[in-house]
Amino acid sequence: MSALRENWRIALLVVLLLVSAVALFVPGTPPGATPDEGAAAEGQLTNLQFGIQLSGGTRIRAPVVGMTAEGVAVGFQDESDVTEAVAADLGVDPIDVRASNETQTVEVFARNVTESEFRAALEAEGYQPETIRDGVTDETRSQVVDSVQRRITESALSGGSVQEVAVPGGQTFISITAPDRDRGELVSILEERGVVRVYAVYPVENGSHVREQVLDQDEFAGIGTARESDSGPGVPVTVEESAAEEFATTMATNGFDSQTVCNPNNYNHSNPSSLNGNERCIVATLNGEPVFVAPVTQGLGESFANGDFVNDPTFVMSTSSMEEAREVELSLKSGRLPAPLDFENDDSLSLDPALAEGFQQNSLITGILAVIAVSIVVYVRYGRIEVAAPMVVTALSEVFLLLGFVSFVQYPLNLSHLAGFIAVIGTGVDDLIIIGDEILQQGEVRTGRVFESRFRKAFWVIGAAAATTIVAMSPLVALPLGDLSGFAIITIVGVLLGVLVTRPAYGDILRNLVLDED
């Protein structure tokens, strides 16, 4: 036990290496991964995830469509009124306008609105904005990132990621990365806002038909899986308890209290009076286009009338095809995009998987050459294999721990991250040489106290160097700078693993070596 206590740093390194091996090679280990992903997938030996530079795929960087008026004194109670009034003045959908009391801003997310029109609309409502600029607020961008991330997850784009990226000049983009997907496939998922609404269309006293919105996207509590049934494709949905009673009452009051008549072929969304006579339809739209036009069944109508619907607020949104059903399911589950992305001014990169595989092989060769070069330099420096070998093995263990870390957190590796690995190898060996020189080049080590004194002196030097590196890299992590941020994260984590784990362990190895010799 005393030997273990004296060499606890080596023991800690061994334990962490075993943990890293589990994270790298045991299927299903990373949080959120299924037993069939990662190391269990065909042709994949580890749980490592690769970005598009090492696996192929598409990365799109697009700005958010929008314009922001700042310094607008919007009262807390006035947000909805301002939103609807400005939307009406500009002739856009209310979802394309957002007024915030917290940030004292009003945003518009429509492409065809000019700055002068926006200012005129605000002034017509009695507001005098201090400035109007292109772009949206940080809050809106954050919500777009969350919504796109949910959409990518729900659409089964494994390994996809979303982040904000700032570019020189101050503009901020939303960066979406999807391995193994082409640009067209990715854009088709992202270009739609995913706005779902449900309307009741019914006749009024003068014989015409009116369309009344009865459910909003936020009023759905549960979304089932798109499925094919005897009545056709559809998505079972559950209405929020707080909205179910008003929905049922509105439907029953407007004649949906029993089975209704509705011919979907007669329905024109821009002219609800295209329906005949007593036709009553329930209509669901996706991005303003009808995807579901149907009568209310006898059972559903009766549940509106007798109140049973409030206790079990579930119905099926039928569609004309499974493709539409899946689109409705995706939009309801992922939520609507707060603002559209501007794909006309995007910056996209697509990489063929075969070329990315070549980058993987070349990166591996580069890493092997770097290790060989470092080994030769270290051996030439000390001329003793018993000193050089532990030094190289310790440096490689640092890389292995880092690989285990990125595998566990499922951080997709790109070329910039591999550059971070090379930097970690370089700084790690530098630090080990400092330790070796301080202990071996300063004369004979006769006692453990002398060894500890020299080791502490060397450790102060490498600790200060590590702190400097971390401070220098921190701005790259704090700022959303894409690949540079990834390089900085890998370097900082590698430096921390080195200072806290591998370099102390090498100190124990070296102590056993020099004291045994004496």
Side-chain angles (χ1 to χ4, degrees):
M1 286 299 291
S2 61
L4 182 61
R5 190 163 51 247
E6 290 178 0
N7 298 290
W8 66 270
R9 298 178 184 89
I10 298 176
L12 175 62
L13 175 61
V14 172
V15 170
L16 291 180
L17 287 173
L18 292 174
V19 172
S20 294
V22 171
L24 273 170
F25 299 112
V26 177
T29 301
T34 68
D36 298 328
E37 294 177 338
E42 185 178 355
Q44 192 165 335
L45 297 177
T46 69
N47 291 318
L48 288 172
Q49 279 202 11
F50 298 103
I52 62 170
Q53 293 173 345
L54 295 174
S55 66
T58 299
R59 182 184 64 201
I60 295 178
R61 291 175 177 172
V64 179
V65 173
M67 193 181 300
T68 302
E70 298 172 316
V72 184
V74 181
F76 178 74
Q77 301 291 339
D78 301 331
E79 291 179 343
S80 298
D81 292 340
V82 173
T83 296
E84 293 180 4
V86 171
D89 290 342
L90 294 174
V92 299
D93 194 302
I95 67 169
D96 285 328
V97 178
R98 170 184 288 173
S100 171
N101 164 260
E102 185 175 347
T103 58
Q104 297 288 281
T105 58
V106 178
E107 297 169 274
V108 60
F109 309 123
R111 290 184 174 85
N112 55 353
V113 175
T114 64
E115 181 179 330
S116 59
E117 291 172 338
F118 189 21
R119 182 179 291 278
L122 287 169
E123 291 177 348
E125 300 306 321
Y127 295 97
Q128 296 294 330
E130 293 177 1
T131 59
I132 293 181
R133 61 171 176 83
D134 287 332
V136 298
T137 60
D138 293 342
E139 180 186 12
T140 297
R141 257 196 313 273
S142 177
Q143 291 177 355
V144 170
V145 169
D146 291 342
S147 182
V148 171
Q149 184 67 65
R150 287 197 299 273
R151 184 164 297 188
I152 285 179
T153 302
E154 294 294 343
S155 61
L157 288 181
S158 61
S161 62
V162 187
Q163 62 179 334
E164 293 183 38
V165 179
V167 299
Q171 193 174 9
T172 303
F173 288 74
I174 305 299
S175 177
I176 305 108
T177 302
D180 300 326
R181 305 287 170 162
D182 59 36
R183 185 180 187 280
E185 189 177 3
L186 184 56
V187 169
S188 68
I189 293 173
L190 300 172
E191 65 182 354
E192 299 292 349
R193 297 284 296 278
V195 180
V196 177
R197 290 176 173 133
V198 177
Y199 298 90
V201 183
Y202 54 89
V204 289
E205 291 181 357
N206 62 8
S208 63
H209 283 71
V210 297
R211 184 179 66 231
E212 179 179 355
Q213 183 176 330
V214 290
L215 284 176
D216 197 355
Q217 191 154 353
D218 297 334
E219 294 173 324
F220 289 99
I223 312 300
T225 302
R227 66 190 184 193
E228 186 83 43
S229 64
D230 294 340
S231 59
V235 183
V237 296
T238 302
V239 179
E240 285 278 4
E241 187 177 339
S242 58
E245 184 171 359
E246 182 179 352
F247 171 58
T249 302
T250 301
M251 297 298 285
T253 303
N254 293 308
F256 293 87
D257 52 355
S258 61
Q259 183 172 9
T260 64
V261 176
C262 172
N263 183 351
N265 295 327
N266 292 336
Y267 181 70
N268 182 337
H269 194 58
S270 59
N271 179 23
S273 293
S274 58
L275 292 176
N276 295 324
N278 198 39
E279 282 189 294
R280 284 178 168 81
C281 301
I282 183 168
V283 178
T285 63
L286 174 62
N287 300 312
E289 295 296 326
V291 293
F292 163 48
V293 180
V296 166
T297 62
Q298 182 70 26
L300 182 60
E302 290 178 352
S303 72
F304 289 148
N306 60 27
D308 288 347
F309 182 82
V310 177
N311 299 322
D312 183 20
T314 301
F315 68 97
V316 176
M317 294 177 63
S318 301
T319 58
S320 58
S321 67
M322 277 302 295
E323 182 181 356
E324 285 184 347
R326 281 190 283 268
E327 287 182 8
V328 171
E329 177 195 352
L330 174 61
S331 296
L332 287 173
K333 285 183 174 178
S334 64
R336 67 175 174 84
L337 286 179
L341 295 172
D342 185 3
F343 291 109
E344 294 178 359
N345 296 297
D346 70 348
D347 169 25
S348 63
L349 168 68
S350 294
L351 198 67
D352 185 84
L355 183 59
E357 187 177 349
F359 285 162
Q360 278 194 45
Q361 294 173 353
N362 291 337
S363 299
L364 180 61
I365 293 172
T366 303
I368 293 173
L369 291 177
V371 171
I372 293 173
V374 166
S375 302
I376 292 174
V377 170
V378 169
Y379 179 75
V380 170
R381 170 76 174 170
Y382 295 101
R384 299 169 61 184
I385 189 67
E386 66 272 21
V387 174
M391 192 176 287
V392 173
V393 170
T394 305
L396 291 179
S397 68
E398 197 169 300
V399 175
F400 193 80
L401 292 179
L402 196 51
L403 286 172
F405 169 78
V406 298
S407 176
F408 185 76
V409 300
Q410 292 289 278
Y411 195 74
L413 294 174
N414 273 322
L415 290 176
S416 62
H417 305 139
L418 296 185
F421 276 85
I422 300 295
V424 167
I425 292 175
T427 57
V429 173
D430 281 350
D431 292 345
L432 296 178
I433 289 177
I434 290 173
I435 294 173
D437 280 2
E438 184 63 37
I439 294 173
L440 301 176
Q441 307 295 332
Q442 302 298 323
E444 193 174 354
V445 180
R446 292 186 178 278
T447 66
R449 179 174 296 181
V450 172
F451 177 88
E452 290 297 335
S453 174
R454 293 180 181 178
F455 180 75
R456 277 198 296 273
K457 185 177 179 182
F459 202 78
W460 274 111
V461 175
I462 64 176
T468 303
T469 302
I470 292 173
V471 170
M473 293 287 178
S474 295
L476 297 179
V477 177
L479 298 174
L481 296 176
D483 290 346
L484 284 178
S485 298
F487 170 77
I489 291 171
I490 294 296
T491 304
I492 289 175
V493 173
V495 168
L496 288 173
L497 285 173
V499 171
L500 300 176
V501 180
T502 57
R503 284 150 220 180
Y506 180 70
D508 279 359
I509 295 172
L510 203 57
R511 183 189 60 202
N512 291 325
L513 178 66
V514 298
L515 292 183
D516 287 347
E517 286 179 346
D518 293 333

